[in-house]
Amino acid sequence: MEQQQKCCNRAGEPFAFAVRLMKSAIFSNVVYPICRHGCQIIHYTPGKRWDSLYTWDSGMIGIGMLEYSTQKAEYVLDTYLSEKDNQDFAFLFHGSMVPTQFYLFYELLQKLPPEGKARLKQYYPMLRRYYQFFAGKSEGSTTARYKSGLLTVYDYFYNASGMDDYPAQVELHKQKLEHSVAPLCSSVHLVRIAKFMKAIAEYFGYEQDVQQYADDAKQVGDAIVNHAWDEESGYFGYVVHDGNLYAAGILRTETGENYNKGVDGVTPLIAGVTTPEQTQRLLAHLTSQQELFTPVGISTVDQSAGYYYDNGYWNGSVWLPYQYFLWKSMLDLGYGEFADKIAKTALHAWSQETDFSYNTFELIQIESERGGWFHQFSGLSSPLVVWYHSYYKPGNVTVGFDTWLEEWRFSDDYSSARIRYKTSRVGGLLLAVMNEEYSDYSVTIDGEPAQFAQRIPGTLEIQLLHCQGEVIVQAK
């Protein structure tokens, strides 16, 4: 099913040029041939003429592409999965082991009607194979779980988070601690994709698999909370293990500062495992202009940290992928105002750059507020188009990671909508972009009036106060 192309609501017009440039980069960054398992394929690559595979970048490309073409987004997903009847490899891997294909598959399932969802069932065994490998459960997988229950993927690549010069990661390699320190992000992603796979298995009827996903999410989630939380800094940390591979503390600088004061230190919000108190402390870091929030978005590293550097690659810069993950998590948590701020800040920052240079960069540098590194990039910058569609394109429905969209329909003029959902996060938010020409809407869930906000004309932010239900939106 191809998404219809619709004009944006007026509030989105200042960002239209930046988004058109990003769309062009997403679809035109193509190389051929690339060899995949003995066959030559066309590959959507992060940067024009980059002739190699990029696992985590490609999941983000697919998520951006999905806003325009479910068919091509599915092609990008399929490229990185094993063949249906060939089990001699788990998934296509190059670069950082960040399992973005699960995030892409979950979003595909939210976009499609029931008949489209049914067709995607063919991918479940392939994603299960990928999951088992990432979790360290399949033959040939050396993904390690320490006795603390935390994961590490440093056997595969130097970069666990995708954030190349992230200070905690740089330090553990400097000290050669790859086999005794657990990076936080790998465990966080395991919990999140386990929750995805549980919901997907339930939907497709793979009941025999549901419990293992639930158990993995619980065990690794508990390990994160029990071993990685640093009360002193209010961040989660990289966990050092002793000679017997038991947790022995947080990776710190020589002066005792938590080395994970940055985006990775708040990633447990993505997994949905934090206590209410931890959530509030992490949000305080995220929203503080002296720490993580900058005029151009969320800094990779806390600006108040002793190891913050204003001219690094990730350190000192704003990138979009983890902002995307955190934005979705804010919808889960019901923090619509901050979710809106993340999206608008990114759109403003990128529009400022593209309007001046016509380039789609990898990052925005905090000090200069200018784009940096490769200039014809889609890859990890692709979430830009998701924010644009989620807030300004009539006919769009967006939810967080813990909500499943069963089906949704809009009237031809986008003045009414019917949306069926299930959620494990009561109090989360659903965004529905309607016809802005109608200033007043009514919203009900299962016939009862629902709470909603309209921060942008035509964009309704609806609170989900039931585990499942049918949302009816109607212009008055």
Side-chain angles (χ1 to χ4, degrees):
M1 180 184 76
E2 301 296 314
Q3 301 297 318
Q4 295 182 15
Q5 300 302 300
K6 302 172 281 291
C7 294
C8 70
N9 284 335
R10 285 186 291 273
E13 290 175 0
F15 315 121
F17 178 65
V19 171
R20 285 200 303 272
L21 282 181
M22 187 61 70
K23 177 186 177 183
S24 176
I26 289 170
F27 284 93
S28 64
N29 283 349
V30 179
V31 289
Y32 178 87
I34 290 287
C35 186
R36 174 197 180 276
H37 207 235
C39 298
Q40 302 298 335
I41 64 165
I42 296 168
H43 184 245
Y44 289 96
T45 187
K48 192 173 291 295
R49 298 185 299 277
W50 290 12
D51 58 347
S52 65
L53 301 162
Y54 290 88
T55 305
W56 98 282
D57 295 64
S58 290
M60 302 311 297
I61 290 171
I63 287 169
M65 193 172 279
L66 181 57
E67 297 299 326
Y68 305 102
S69 171
T70 55
Q71 181 183 24
K72 285 185 169 59
E74 183 181 338
Y75 173 83
V76 170
L77 173 70
D78 182 72
T79 297
Y80 281 79
L81 301 181
S82 60
E83 283 100 2
K84 183 177 180 181
D85 300 318
N86 191 324
Q87 301 183 26
D88 67 348
F89 70 105
F91 63 102
L92 207 60
F93 171 63
H94 174 74
S96 305
M97 196 182 253
V98 182
T100 50
Q101 284 66 40
F102 293 89
Y103 293 86
L104 169 56
F105 189 58
Y106 196 77
E107 291 305 310
L108 262 168
L109 288 168
Q110 308 316 301
K111 292 284 186 185
L112 292 171
E115 60 272 20
K117 287 180 173 65
R119 186 180 57 76
L120 293 182
K121 184 176 182 179
Q122 64 180 310
Y123 293 109
Y124 176 82
M126 307 173 203
L127 283 154
R128 184 183 185 279
R129 197 172 301 141
Y130 186 163
Y131 175 87
Q132 293 290 92
F133 193 95
F134 188 83
K137 294 184 171 185
S138 66
E139 183 180 356
S141 172
T142 60
T143 301
R145 282 199 199 183
Y146 292 109
K147 291 176 182 177
S148 63
L150 297 169
L151 274 71
T152 180
V153 293
Y154 282 126
D155 275 0
Y156 297 103
F157 199 56
Y158 79 94
N159 195 341
S161 62
M163 298 181 278
D164 303 64
D165 60 342
Y166 192 73
Q169 186 166 260
V170 171
E171 182 63 21
L172 73 86
H173 288 311
K174 181 180 177 182
Q175 295 189 39
K176 303 187 186 308
L177 299 174
E178 295 89 346
H179 300 294
S180 60
V181 175
L184 180 63
C185 54
S186 299
S187 297
V188 165
H189 286 301
L190 187 279
V191 174
R192 177 42 64 195
I193 68 174
K195 290 181 177 182
F196 285 159
M197 291 299 283
K198 177 178 180 292
I200 294 165
E202 289 171 339
Y203 183 81
F204 286 135
Y206 291 94
E207 294 299 328
Q208 70 276 15
D209 294 338
V210 169
Q211 193 59 49
Q212 73 149 325
Y213 299 134
D215 289 345
D216 284 350
K218 176 71 165 58
Q219 290 165 9
V220 179
D222 286 349
I224 291 170
V225 172
N226 293 336
H227 300 297
W229 175 246
D230 177 30
E231 183 66 29
E232 180 182 347
S233 67
Y235 281 97
F236 286 83
Y238 277 35
V239 177
V240 179
H241 293 76
D242 62 21
N244 295 314
L245 302 183
Y246 288 101
I250 301 295
L251 182 66
R252 300 182 185 277
T253 68
E254 291 181 356
T255 61
E257 186 177 15
N258 184 343
Y259 247 122
N260 201 29
K261 291 167 66 175
V263 164
D264 199 349
V266 301
T267 53
L269 291 171
I270 299 166
V273 299
T274 54
T275 67
E277 294 76 19
Q278 290 168 346
T279 298
Q280 291 308 310
R281 291 193 69 184
L282 296 178
L283 284 168
H285 297 309
L286 275 168
T287 57
S288 169
Q289 295 180 14
Q290 286 71 49
E291 296 178 273
L292 288 176
F293 208 86
T294 81
V296 290
I298 297 172
S299 175
T300 304
V301 178
D302 186 324
Q303 299 166 97
S304 69
Y307 39 80
Y308 175 77
Y309 176 54
D310 65 11
N311 195 29
Y313 185 41
W314 283 73
N315 192 355
S317 301
V318 166
W319 290 67
L320 300 189
Y322 278 93
Q323 287 193 94
Y324 167 81
F325 296 142
L326 290 165
W327 168 71
K328 294 282 278 190
S329 302
M330 293 306 106
L331 297 179
D332 281 329
L333 289 165
Y335 294 114
E337 184 176 0
F338 188 52
D340 178 87
K341 186 174 182 179
I342 291 172
K344 284 183 180 175
T345 302
L347 286 163
H348 276 288
W350 285 80
S351 294
Q352 175 179 277
E353 177 57 47
T354 55
D355 289 353
F356 178 79
S357 69
Y358 283 41
N359 291 321
T360 58
F361 284 105
E362 296 183 53
L363 56 88
I364 299 289
Q365 294 175 321
I366 295 168
E367 183 72 17
S368 66
E369 299 188 6
R370 291 298 309 277
W373 291 69
F374 197 74
H375 61 289
Q376 290 176 303
F377 189 75
S378 54
L380 303 176
S381 301
S382 297
L384 187 80
V385 302
V386 177
W387 289 316
Y388 179 73
H389 286 76
S390 296
Y391 286 96
Y392 304 112
K393 281 281 188 174
N396 266 44
V397 178
T398 305
V399 290
F401 291 137
D402 288 325
T403 298
W404 179 278
L405 292 174
E406 295 189 320
E407 188 175 11
W408 44 276
R409 293 283 187 272
F410 284 80
S411 62
D412 290 342
D413 66 350
Y414 308 109
S415 66
S416 64
R418 181 177 67 87
I419 306 159
R420 292 193 297 113
Y421 74 91
K422 293 175 65 177
T423 186
S424 59
R425 188 73 73 96
V426 173
L429 298 174
L430 178 151
L431 303 177
V433 187
M434 311 298 296
N435 187 334
E436 66 180 342
E437 299 304 326
Y438 297 89
S439 60
D440 201 5
Y441 281 89
S442 66
V443 181
T444 61
I445 300 180
D446 292 339
E448 298 293 325
Q451 297 181 32
F452 70 97
Q454 193 172 176
R455 303 177 200 280
I456 303 167
T459 303
L460 275 58
E461 188 182 282
I462 302 164
Q463 191 168 32
L464 305 177
L465 296 178
H466 307 282
C467 292
Q468 62 182 35
E470 182 175 77
V471 178
I472 301 294
V473 182
Q474 182 66 55
K476 291 184 180 179

